[in-house]
mmCIF file of all heavy atoms in Angstrom:
data_model
loop_
_atom_site.group_PDB
_atom_site.id
_atom_site.type_symbol
_atom_site.label_atom_id
_atom_site.label_comp_id
_atom_site.label_asym_id
_atom_site.label_seq_id
_atom_site.Cartn_x
_atom_site.Cartn_y
_atom_site.Cartn_z
ATOM 1 N N MET A 101 35.108 177.261 135.054
ATOM 2 C CA MET A 101 36.348 177.530 134.350
ATOM 3 C C MET A 101 37.310 176.373 134.455
ATOM 4 O O MET A 101 37.391 175.727 135.500
ATOM 5 C CB MET A 101 37.011 178.770 134.941
ATOM 6 C CG MET A 101 36.785 179.974 134.060
ATOM 7 S SD MET A 101 37.585 181.379 134.729
ATOM 8 C CE MET A 101 36.891 181.394 136.359
ATOM 9 N N SER A 108 54.042 176.822 126.249
ATOM 10 C CA SER A 108 53.911 178.100 125.547
ATOM 11 C C SER A 108 52.854 178.011 124.465
ATOM 12 O O SER A 108 52.920 177.158 123.587
ATOM 13 C CB SER A 108 55.248 178.489 124.901
ATOM 14 O OG SER A 108 55.011 179.489 123.923
ATOM 15 N N ILE A 109 51.885 178.902 124.532
ATOM 16 C CA ILE A 109 50.810 178.926 123.539
ATOM 17 C C ILE A 109 51.360 179.284 122.157
ATOM 18 O O ILE A 109 50.728 179.057 121.135
ATOM 19 C CB ILE A 109 49.712 179.933 123.959
ATOM 20 C CG1 ILE A 109 48.473 179.848 123.052
ATOM 21 C CG2 ILE A 109 50.237 181.359 123.966
ATOM 22 C CD1 ILE A 109 47.695 178.593 123.146
ATOM 23 N N TRP A 110 52.552 179.812 122.128
ATOM 24 C CA TRP A 110 53.149 180.286 120.880
ATOM 25 C C TRP A 110 53.505 179.126 119.938
ATOM 26 O O TRP A 110 53.625 179.287 118.729
ATOM 27 C CB TRP A 110 54.394 181.102 121.218
ATOM 28 C CG TRP A 110 54.917 181.952 120.136
ATOM 29 C CD1 TRP A 110 54.521 181.987 118.822
ATOM 30 C CD2 TRP A 110 55.950 182.934 120.261
ATOM 31 N NE1 TRP A 110 55.248 182.915 118.141
ATOM 32 C CE2 TRP A 110 56.129 183.513 118.991
ATOM 33 C CE3 TRP A 110 56.738 183.373 121.322
ATOM 34 C CZ2 TRP A 110 57.071 184.509 118.774
ATOM 35 C CZ3 TRP A 110 57.663 184.359 121.088
ATOM 36 C CH2 TRP A 110 57.823 184.920 119.825
ATOM 37 N N SER A 115 49.024 175.666 120.245
ATOM 38 C CA SER A 115 47.938 176.596 119.908
ATOM 39 C C SER A 115 46.795 175.857 119.206
ATOM 40 O O SER A 115 45.634 176.171 119.416
ATOM 41 C CB SER A 115 48.448 177.789 119.091
ATOM 42 O OG SER A 115 48.913 177.400 117.831
ATOM 43 N N GLU A 116 47.134 174.850 118.418
ATOM 44 C CA GLU A 116 46.064 174.042 117.812
ATOM 45 C C GLU A 116 45.297 173.299 118.908
ATOM 46 O O GLU A 116 44.065 173.247 118.918
ATOM 47 C CB GLU A 116 46.646 173.045 116.795
ATOM 48 C CG GLU A 116 45.560 172.235 116.101
ATOM 49 C CD GLU A 116 46.104 171.218 115.086
ATOM 50 O OE1 GLU A 116 47.327 171.181 114.859
ATOM 51 O OE2 GLU A 116 45.281 170.464 114.539
ATOM 52 N N TYR A 119 43.063 175.600 120.749
ATOM 53 C CA TYR A 119 41.901 175.949 119.929
ATOM 54 C C TYR A 119 40.780 174.935 120.129
ATOM 55 O O TYR A 119 39.635 175.288 120.405
ATOM 56 C CB TYR A 119 42.300 176.008 118.449
ATOM 57 C CG TYR A 119 41.131 176.233 117.534
ATOM 58 C CD1 TYR A 119 40.646 177.516 117.311
ATOM 59 C CD2 TYR A 119 40.477 175.165 116.918
ATOM 60 C CE1 TYR A 119 39.550 177.732 116.494
ATOM 61 C CE2 TYR A 119 39.375 175.371 116.103
ATOM 62 C CZ TYR A 119 38.918 176.653 115.888
ATOM 63 O OH TYR A 119 37.824 176.863 115.089
ATOM 64 N N TYR A 120 41.105 173.659 120.036
ATOM 65 C CA TYR A 120 40.070 172.631 120.148
ATOM 66 C C TYR A 120 39.599 172.441 121.591
ATOM 67 O O TYR A 120 38.446 172.115 121.837
ATOM 68 C CB TYR A 120 40.566 171.304 119.565
ATOM 69 C CG TYR A 120 40.625 171.333 118.056
ATOM 70 C CD1 TYR A 120 41.829 171.227 117.380
ATOM 71 C CD2 TYR A 120 39.460 171.484 117.301
ATOM 72 C CE1 TYR A 120 41.887 171.267 115.989
ATOM 73 C CE2 TYR A 120 39.502 171.528 115.923
ATOM 74 C CZ TYR A 120 40.712 171.414 115.266
ATOM 75 O OH TYR A 120 40.756 171.467 113.905
ATOM 76 N N GLU A 122 39.347 174.843 123.828
ATOM 77 C CA GLU A 122 38.401 175.940 124.082
ATOM 78 C C GLU A 122 37.067 175.638 123.437
ATOM 79 O O GLU A 122 36.003 175.854 124.011
ATOM 80 C CB GLU A 122 38.985 177.262 123.555
ATOM 81 C CG GLU A 122 38.258 178.506 124.042
ATOM 82 C CD GLU A 122 37.132 178.980 123.134
ATOM 83 O OE1 GLU A 122 36.935 178.411 122.040
ATOM 84 O OE2 GLU A 122 36.422 179.907 123.523
ATOM 85 N N LYS A 131 34.586 178.090 130.470
ATOM 86 C CA LYS A 131 35.560 179.044 129.954
ATOM 87 C C LYS A 131 36.963 178.496 130.174
ATOM 88 O O LYS A 131 37.191 177.707 131.091
ATOM 89 C CB LYS A 131 35.433 180.383 130.697
ATOM 90 C CG LYS A 131 34.032 180.982 130.622
ATOM 91 C CD LYS A 131 33.689 181.425 129.224
ATOM 92 C CE LYS A 131 32.190 181.472 128.998
ATOM 93 N NZ LYS A 131 31.810 181.172 127.624
ATOM 94 N N LEU A 132 37.868 178.981 129.358
ATOM 95 C CA LEU A 132 39.249 178.511 129.427
ATOM 96 C C LEU A 132 40.170 179.570 130.012
ATOM 97 O O LEU A 132 40.191 180.711 129.543
ATOM 98 C CB LEU A 132 39.738 178.146 128.023
ATOM 99 C CG LEU A 132 41.195 177.692 127.916
ATOM 100 C CD1 LEU A 132 41.367 176.327 128.563
ATOM 101 C CD2 LEU A 132 41.631 177.633 126.460
ATOM 102 N N MET A 133 40.929 179.193 131.027
ATOM 103 C CA MET A 133 42.004 180.064 131.501
ATOM 104 C C MET A 133 43.311 179.515 130.967
ATOM 105 O O MET A 133 43.574 178.328 131.076
ATOM 106 C CB MET A 133 42.058 180.082 133.025
ATOM 107 C CG MET A 133 40.934 180.858 133.630
ATOM 108 S SD MET A 133 41.015 180.784 135.414
ATOM 109 C CE MET A 133 42.416 181.838 135.695
ATOM 110 N N LEU A 134 44.102 180.418 130.426
ATOM 111 C CA LEU A 134 45.331 179.974 129.767
ATOM 112 C C LEU A 134 46.555 180.371 130.576
ATOM 113 O O LEU A 134 46.685 181.512 130.988
ATOM 114 C CB LEU A 134 45.415 180.613 128.381
ATOM 115 C CG LEU A 134 46.672 180.281 127.599
ATOM 116 C CD1 LEU A 134 46.649 178.839 127.153
ATOM 117 C CD2 LEU A 134 46.796 181.208 126.410
ATOM 118 N N CYS A 135 47.450 179.428 130.765
ATOM 119 C CA CYS A 135 48.687 179.692 131.504
ATOM 120 C C CYS A 135 49.879 179.149 130.732
ATOM 121 O O CYS A 135 49.954 177.960 130.468
ATOM 122 C CB CYS A 135 48.601 179.035 132.878
ATOM 123 S SG CYS A 135 50.176 178.988 133.757
ATOM 124 N N ASN A 136 50.793 180.042 130.347
ATOM 125 C CA ASN A 136 52.077 179.617 129.793
ATOM 126 C C ASN A 136 53.008 179.340 130.949
ATOM 127 O O ASN A 136 53.450 180.271 131.608
ATOM 128 C CB ASN A 136 52.712 180.727 128.951
ATOM 129 C CG ASN A 136 51.888 181.077 127.737
ATOM 130 O OD1 ASN A 136 51.558 180.218 126.934
ATOM 131 N ND2 ASN A 136 51.546 182.350 127.626
ATOM 132 N N LYS A 143 54.146 178.834 138.617
ATOM 133 C CA LYS A 143 52.896 179.219 137.964
ATOM 134 C C LYS A 143 51.929 178.035 137.954
ATOM 135 O O LYS A 143 50.738 178.187 138.201
ATOM 136 C CB LYS A 143 53.158 179.683 136.518
ATOM 137 C CG LYS A 143 53.336 181.194 136.391
ATOM 138 C CD LYS A 143 53.607 181.633 134.963
ATOM 139 C CE LYS A 143 52.377 182.175 134.235
ATOM 140 N NZ LYS A 143 52.743 182.812 132.942
ATOM 141 N N TYR A 146 50.409 177.515 141.312
ATOM 142 C CA TYR A 146 49.380 178.502 141.603
ATOM 143 C C TYR A 146 48.018 178.037 141.097
ATOM 144 O O TYR A 146 47.003 178.167 141.774
ATOM 145 C CB TYR A 146 49.767 179.837 140.956
ATOM 146 C CG TYR A 146 48.816 180.952 141.290
ATOM 147 C CD1 TYR A 146 49.019 181.745 142.408
ATOM 148 C CD2 TYR A 146 47.691 181.186 140.492
ATOM 149 C CE1 TYR A 146 48.133 182.757 142.728
ATOM 150 C CE2 TYR A 146 46.806 182.198 140.805
ATOM 151 C CZ TYR A 146 47.029 182.982 141.928
ATOM 152 O OH TYR A 146 46.137 183.969 142.241
ATOM 153 N N TYR A 147 48.007 177.457 139.887
ATOM 154 C CA TYR A 147 46.739 176.991 139.325
ATOM 155 C C TYR A 147 46.211 175.770 140.074
ATOM 156 O O TYR A 147 45.011 175.587 140.213
ATOM 157 C CB TYR A 147 46.878 176.707 137.825
ATOM 158 C CG TYR A 147 46.850 177.973 137.005
ATOM 159 C CD1 TYR A 147 48.000 178.711 136.771
ATOM 160 C CD2 TYR A 147 45.636 178.463 136.516
ATOM 161 C CE1 TYR A 147 47.969 179.887 136.046
ATOM 162 C CE2 TYR A 147 45.595 179.643 135.789
ATOM 163 C CZ TYR A 147 46.768 180.356 135.559
ATOM 164 O OH TYR A 147 46.716 181.524 134.852
ATOM 165 N N GLN A 309 52.917 171.650 110.245
ATOM 166 C CA GLN A 309 52.697 172.437 109.017
ATOM 167 C C GLN A 309 51.240 172.292 108.581
ATOM 168 O O GLN A 309 50.774 171.199 108.322
ATOM 169 C CB GLN A 309 53.623 171.949 107.907
ATOM 170 C CG GLN A 309 55.053 172.414 108.057
ATOM 171 C CD GLN A 309 55.967 171.707 107.075
ATOM 172 O OE1 GLN A 309 56.138 170.503 107.144
ATOM 173 N NE2 GLN A 309 56.544 172.463 106.154
ATOM 174 N N PHE A 314 55.136 176.252 102.340
ATOM 175 C CA PHE A 314 56.528 176.401 102.761
ATOM 176 C C PHE A 314 57.224 175.042 102.677
ATOM 177 O O PHE A 314 56.652 174.028 103.065
ATOM 178 C CB PHE A 314 56.607 176.977 104.174
ATOM 179 C CG PHE A 314 55.996 178.352 104.278
ATOM 180 C CD1 PHE A 314 54.712 178.528 104.781
ATOM 181 C CD2 PHE A 314 56.695 179.466 103.844
ATOM 182 C CE1 PHE A 314 54.146 179.802 104.861
ATOM 183 C CE2 PHE A 314 56.134 180.735 103.916
ATOM 184 C CZ PHE A 314 54.862 180.909 104.425
ATOM 185 N N HIS A 315 58.452 175.073 102.177
ATOM 186 C CA HIS A 315 59.147 173.824 101.872
ATOM 187 C C HIS A 315 60.424 173.675 102.684
ATOM 188 O O HIS A 315 61.045 174.669 103.018
ATOM 189 C CB HIS A 315 59.454 173.777 100.373
ATOM 190 C CG HIS A 315 58.233 173.980 99.537
ATOM 191 N ND1 HIS A 315 57.375 172.954 99.196
ATOM 192 C CD2 HIS A 315 57.674 175.106 99.025
ATOM 193 C CE1 HIS A 315 56.361 173.441 98.484
ATOM 194 N NE2 HIS A 315 56.514 174.752 98.367
ATOM 195 N N PRO A 316 60.882 172.461 102.978
ATOM 196 C CA PRO A 316 60.225 171.212 102.602
ATOM 197 C C PRO A 316 58.933 170.964 103.403
ATOM 198 O O PRO A 316 58.890 171.279 104.592
ATOM 199 C CB PRO A 316 61.264 170.158 102.973
ATOM 200 C CG PRO A 316 62.041 170.765 104.095
ATOM 201 C CD PRO A 316 62.090 172.237 103.800
ATOM 202 N N MET B 1183 40.703 188.713 136.343
ATOM 203 C CA MET B 1183 40.766 188.035 135.067
ATOM 204 C C MET B 1183 40.491 188.979 133.927
ATOM 205 O O MET B 1183 39.658 189.869 134.037
ATOM 206 C CB MET B 1183 39.733 186.922 135.031
ATOM 207 C CG MET B 1183 40.406 185.584 135.260
ATOM 208 S SD MET B 1183 39.238 184.285 135.184
ATOM 209 C CE MET B 1183 38.034 184.840 136.348
ATOM 210 N N SER B 1190 40.912 183.157 116.235
ATOM 211 C CA SER B 1190 41.347 181.783 116.457
ATOM 212 C C SER B 1190 42.764 181.767 117.004
ATOM 213 O O SER B 1190 43.688 182.299 116.395
ATOM 214 C CB SER B 1190 41.315 180.989 115.149
ATOM 215 O OG SER B 1190 42.104 179.824 115.287
ATOM 216 N N ILE B 1191 42.939 181.120 118.152
ATOM 217 C CA ILE B 1191 44.270 181.025 118.767
ATOM 218 C C ILE B 1191 45.207 180.203 117.892
ATOM 219 O O ILE B 1191 46.428 180.249 118.046
ATOM 220 C CB ILE B 1191 44.157 180.396 120.178
ATOM 221 C CG1 ILE B 1191 45.493 180.444 120.933
ATOM 222 C CG2 ILE B 1191 43.694 178.949 120.115
ATOM 223 C CD1 ILE B 1191 45.951 181.818 121.298
ATOM 224 N N TRP B 1192 44.646 179.469 116.965
ATOM 225 C CA TRP B 1192 45.436 178.563 116.132
ATOM 226 C C TRP B 1192 46.346 179.325 115.158
ATOM 227 O O TRP B 1192 47.335 178.816 114.670
ATOM 228 C CB TRP B 1192 44.467 177.659 115.374
ATOM 229 C CG TRP B 1192 45.067 176.441 114.772
ATOM 230 C CD1 TRP B 1192 46.403 176.121 114.693
ATOM 231 C CD2 TRP B 1192 44.364 175.375 114.169
ATOM 232 N NE1 TRP B 1192 46.540 174.915 114.074
ATOM 233 C CE2 TRP B 1192 45.311 174.432 113.734
ATOM 234 C CE3 TRP B 1192 43.008 175.121 113.939
ATOM 235 C CZ2 TRP B 1192 44.942 173.261 113.099
ATOM 236 C CZ3 TRP B 1192 42.652 173.951 113.302
ATOM 237 C CH2 TRP B 1192 43.599 173.042 112.897
ATOM 238 N N SER B 1197 48.561 183.488 118.295
ATOM 239 C CA SER B 1197 49.125 182.720 119.405
ATOM 240 C C SER B 1197 50.359 183.429 119.971
ATOM 241 O O SER B 1197 50.586 183.398 121.181
ATOM 242 C CB SER B 1197 49.427 181.274 119.000
ATOM 243 O OG SER B 1197 50.445 181.213 118.038
ATOM 244 N N GLU B 1198 51.103 184.097 119.121
ATOM 245 C CA GLU B 1198 52.235 184.884 119.641
ATOM 246 C C GLU B 1198 51.711 186.038 120.502
ATOM 247 O O GLU B 1198 52.218 186.315 121.586
ATOM 248 C CB GLU B 1198 53.092 185.441 118.484
ATOM 249 C CG GLU B 1198 54.312 186.206 118.987
ATOM 250 C CD GLU B 1198 55.177 186.775 117.855
ATOM 251 O OE1 GLU B 1198 54.895 186.494 116.672
ATOM 252 O OE2 GLU B 1198 56.138 187.502 118.177
ATOM 253 N N TYR B 1201 50.545 184.803 123.776
ATOM 254 C CA TYR B 1201 51.687 184.458 124.625
ATOM 255 C C TYR B 1201 52.152 185.684 125.421
ATOM 256 O O TYR B 1201 52.301 185.631 126.640
ATOM 257 C CB TYR B 1201 52.838 183.913 123.771
ATOM 258 C CG TYR B 1201 54.090 183.671 124.557
ATOM 259 C CD1 TYR B 1201 54.249 182.489 125.269
ATOM 260 C CD2 TYR B 1201 55.092 184.627 124.616
ATOM 261 C CE1 TYR B 1201 55.395 182.256 126.016
ATOM 262 C CE2 TYR B 1201 56.236 184.407 125.365
ATOM 263 C CZ TYR B 1201 56.388 183.228 126.060
ATOM 264 O OH TYR B 1201 57.506 183.017 126.810
ATOM 265 N N TYR B 1202 52.349 186.796 124.722
ATOM 266 C CA TYR B 1202 52.861 187.989 125.405
ATOM 267 C C TYR B 1202 51.793 188.649 126.280
ATOM 268 O O TYR B 1202 52.109 189.249 127.306
ATOM 269 C CB TYR B 1202 53.433 188.984 124.389
ATOM 270 C CG TYR B 1202 54.754 188.521 123.816
ATOM 271 C CD1 TYR B 1202 54.884 188.210 122.473
ATOM 272 C CD2 TYR B 1202 55.864 188.378 124.643
ATOM 273 C CE1 TYR B 1202 56.103 187.778 121.954
ATOM 274 C CE2 TYR B 1202 57.081 187.951 124.141
ATOM 275 C CZ TYR B 1202 57.196 187.654 122.801
ATOM 276 O OH TYR B 1202 58.397 187.220 122.302
ATOM 277 N N GLU B 1204 49.456 187.065 127.961
ATOM 278 C CA GLU B 1204 49.413 186.282 129.202
ATOM 279 C C GLU B 1204 50.597 186.633 130.083
ATOM 280 O O GLU B 1204 50.468 186.791 131.289
ATOM 281 C CB GLU B 1204 49.389 184.790 128.867
ATOM 282 C CG GLU B 1204 49.016 183.890 130.040
ATOM 283 C CD GLU B 1204 50.206 183.395 130.857
ATOM 284 O OE1 GLU B 1204 51.382 183.666 130.480
ATOM 285 O OE2 GLU B 1204 49.980 182.757 131.875
ATOM 286 N N LYS B 1213 44.865 186.769 135.449
ATOM 287 C CA LYS B 1213 44.753 185.548 134.666
ATOM 288 C C LYS B 1213 44.082 185.859 133.327
ATOM 289 O O LYS B 1213 43.319 186.814 133.212
ATOM 290 C CB LYS B 1213 43.893 184.518 135.418
ATOM 291 C CG LYS B 1213 44.405 184.188 136.805
ATOM 292 C CD LYS B 1213 45.724 183.464 136.750
ATOM 293 C CE LYS B 1213 46.505 183.615 138.048
ATOM 294 N NZ LYS B 1213 47.946 183.570 137.840
ATOM 295 N N LEU B 1214 44.348 185.026 132.375
ATOM 296 C CA LEU B 1214 43.807 185.225 131.036
ATOM 297 C C LEU B 1214 42.722 184.210 130.715
ATOM 298 O O LEU B 1214 42.908 183.004 130.854
ATOM 299 C CB LEU B 1214 44.935 185.068 130.002
ATOM 300 C CG LEU B 1214 44.510 185.207 128.534
ATOM 301 C CD1 LEU B 1214 44.101 186.630 128.225
ATOM 302 C CD2 LEU B 1214 45.634 184.758 127.611
ATOM 303 N N MET B 1215 41.563 184.710 130.283
ATOM 304 C CA MET B 1215 40.532 183.827 129.743
ATOM 305 C C MET B 1215 40.587 183.945 128.232
ATOM 306 O O MET B 1215 40.612 185.049 127.696
ATOM 307 C CB MET B 1215 39.154 184.239 130.228
ATOM 308 C CG MET B 1215 38.923 183.865 131.660
ATOM 309 S SD MET B 1215 37.317 184.434 132.209
ATOM 310 C CE MET B 1215 36.301 183.274 131.340
ATOM 311 N N LEU B 1216 40.576 182.813 127.586
ATOM 312 C CA LEU B 1216 40.754 182.812 126.142
ATOM 313 C C LEU B 1216 39.459 182.431 125.438
ATOM 314 O O LEU B 1216 38.817 181.449 125.796
ATOM 315 C CB LEU B 1216 41.835 181.804 125.760
ATOM 316 C CG LEU B 1216 42.089 181.673 124.266
ATOM 317 C CD1 LEU B 1216 42.769 182.909 123.727
ATOM 318 C CD2 LEU B 1216 42.939 180.440 123.997
ATOM 319 N N CYS B 1217 39.096 183.212 124.440
ATOM 320 C CA CYS B 1217 37.883 182.926 123.674
ATOM 321 C C CYS B 1217 38.182 182.996 122.184
ATOM 322 O O CYS B 1217 38.617 184.028 121.690
ATOM 323 C CB CYS B 1217 36.804 183.940 124.044
ATOM 324 S SG CYS B 1217 35.384 183.944 122.942
ATOM 325 N N ASN B 1218 37.980 181.883 121.484
ATOM 326 C CA ASN B 1218 38.042 181.895 120.020
ATOM 327 C C ASN B 1218 36.678 182.308 119.515
ATOM 328 O O ASN B 1218 35.733 181.533 119.613
ATOM 329 C CB ASN B 1218 38.334 180.495 119.463
ATOM 330 C CG ASN B 1218 39.690 179.984 119.887
ATOM 331 O OD1 ASN B 1218 40.695 180.630 119.662
ATOM 332 N ND2 ASN B 1218 39.705 178.815 120.501
ATOM 333 N N LYS B 1225 29.450 184.689 121.047
ATOM 334 C CA LYS B 1225 30.477 184.377 122.049
ATOM 335 C C LYS B 1225 31.096 185.670 122.575
ATOM 336 O O LYS B 1225 31.330 185.816 123.766
ATOM 337 C CB LYS B 1225 31.578 183.495 121.437
ATOM 338 C CG LYS B 1225 31.350 182.009 121.655
ATOM 339 C CD LYS B 1225 32.431 181.151 121.019
ATOM 340 C CE LYS B 1225 33.476 180.683 122.023
ATOM 341 N NZ LYS B 1225 34.362 179.631 121.425
ATOM 342 N N TYR B 1228 28.799 187.399 124.933
ATOM 343 C CA TYR B 1228 28.782 186.730 126.230
ATOM 344 C C TYR B 1228 29.883 187.286 127.147
ATOM 345 O O TYR B 1228 29.651 187.559 128.322
ATOM 346 C CB TYR B 1228 28.957 185.224 126.037
ATOM 347 C CG TYR B 1228 28.838 184.448 127.311
ATOM 348 C CD1 TYR B 1228 27.604 183.953 127.734
ATOM 349 C CD2 TYR B 1228 29.948 184.226 128.121
ATOM 350 C CE1 TYR B 1228 27.489 183.248 128.914
ATOM 351 C CE2 TYR B 1228 29.850 183.530 129.307
ATOM 352 C CZ TYR B 1228 28.622 183.043 129.699
ATOM 353 O OH TYR B 1228 28.508 182.351 130.883
ATOM 354 N N TYR B 1229 31.071 187.491 126.560
ATOM 355 C CA TYR B 1229 32.184 188.017 127.376
ATOM 356 C C TYR B 1229 31.945 189.473 127.761
ATOM 357 O O TYR B 1229 32.347 189.908 128.830
ATOM 358 C CB TYR B 1229 33.523 187.837 126.649
ATOM 359 C CG TYR B 1229 34.033 186.418 126.745
ATOM 360 C CD1 TYR B 1229 33.644 185.450 125.832
ATOM 361 C CD2 TYR B 1229 34.871 186.036 127.789
ATOM 362 C CE1 TYR B 1229 34.091 184.135 125.938
ATOM 363 C CE2 TYR B 1229 35.323 184.728 127.912
ATOM 364 C CZ TYR B 1229 34.929 183.785 126.979
ATOM 365 O OH TYR B 1229 35.365 182.500 127.096
ATOM 366 N N LYS B 1366 50.657 181.952 99.423
ATOM 367 C CA LYS B 1366 49.759 181.304 98.452
ATOM 368 C C LYS B 1366 50.026 181.810 97.038
ATOM 369 O O LYS B 1366 50.001 181.042 96.075
ATOM 370 C CB LYS B 1366 48.295 181.563 98.835
ATOM 371 C CG LYS B 1366 47.845 180.797 100.060
ATOM 372 C CD LYS B 1366 46.387 181.126 100.392
ATOM 373 C CE LYS B 1366 45.949 180.388 101.658
ATOM 374 N NZ LYS B 1366 44.546 180.732 102.004
ATOM 375 N N GLN B 1391 56.687 183.711 110.264
ATOM 376 C CA GLN B 1391 57.723 182.672 110.253
ATOM 377 C C GLN B 1391 58.737 182.937 111.353
ATOM 378 O O GLN B 1391 59.366 183.983 111.374
ATOM 379 C CB GLN B 1391 58.434 182.650 108.897
ATOM 380 C CG GLN B 1391 57.618 181.998 107.793
ATOM 381 C CD GLN B 1391 58.276 182.217 106.443
ATOM 382 O OE1 GLN B 1391 58.382 183.344 105.979
ATOM 383 N NE2 GLN B 1391 58.724 181.149 105.820
ATOM 384 N N PHE B 1396 61.996 176.733 106.761
ATOM 385 C CA PHE B 1396 61.021 176.465 105.714
ATOM 386 C C PHE B 1396 61.067 177.597 104.691
ATOM 387 O O PHE B 1396 61.139 178.767 105.047
ATOM 388 C CB PHE B 1396 59.620 176.304 106.315
ATOM 389 C CG PHE B 1396 59.526 175.149 107.279
ATOM 390 C CD1 PHE B 1396 59.553 175.360 108.642
ATOM 391 C CD2 PHE B 1396 59.429 173.844 106.804
ATOM 392 C CE1 PHE B 1396 59.485 174.294 109.540
ATOM 393 C CE2 PHE B 1396 59.359 172.767 107.690
ATOM 394 C CZ PHE B 1396 59.386 172.996 109.063
ATOM 395 N N HIS B 1397 61.008 177.202 103.424
ATOM 396 C CA HIS B 1397 61.235 178.171 102.347
ATOM 397 C C HIS B 1397 60.007 178.303 101.452
ATOM 398 O O HIS B 1397 59.264 177.343 101.303
ATOM 399 C CB HIS B 1397 62.455 177.729 101.532
ATOM 400 C CG HIS B 1397 63.668 177.532 102.382
ATOM 401 N ND1 HIS B 1397 64.514 178.564 102.731
ATOM 402 C CD2 HIS B 1397 64.146 176.425 103.014
ATOM 403 C CE1 HIS B 1397 65.476 178.088 103.526
ATOM 404 N NE2 HIS B 1397 65.265 176.796 103.701
#
Side-chain angles (χ1 to χ4, degrees):
Chain A
M101 258 181 305
S108 163
I109 188 67
W110 196 352
S115 66
E116 183 180 356
Y119 175 83
Y120 287 115
E122 194 269 355
K131 303 292 156 211
L132 177 70
M133 287 178 72
L134 178 71
C135 168
N136 296 305
K143 266 179 100 170
Y146 184 90
Y147 282 86
Q309 283 170 296
F314 298 100
H315 306 275
Chain B
M1183 258 181 307
S1190 162
I1191 188 67
W1192 196 352
S1197 66
E1198 183 180 355
Y1201 174 83
Y1202 287 115
E1204 194 269 355
K1213 303 293 157 210
L1214 178 68
M1215 285 178 73
L1216 178 71
C1217 168
N1218 296 305
K1225 266 179 100 169
Y1228 185 91
Y1229 282 87
K1366 288 179 182 179
Q1391 284 170 295
F1396 299 101
H1397 305 275

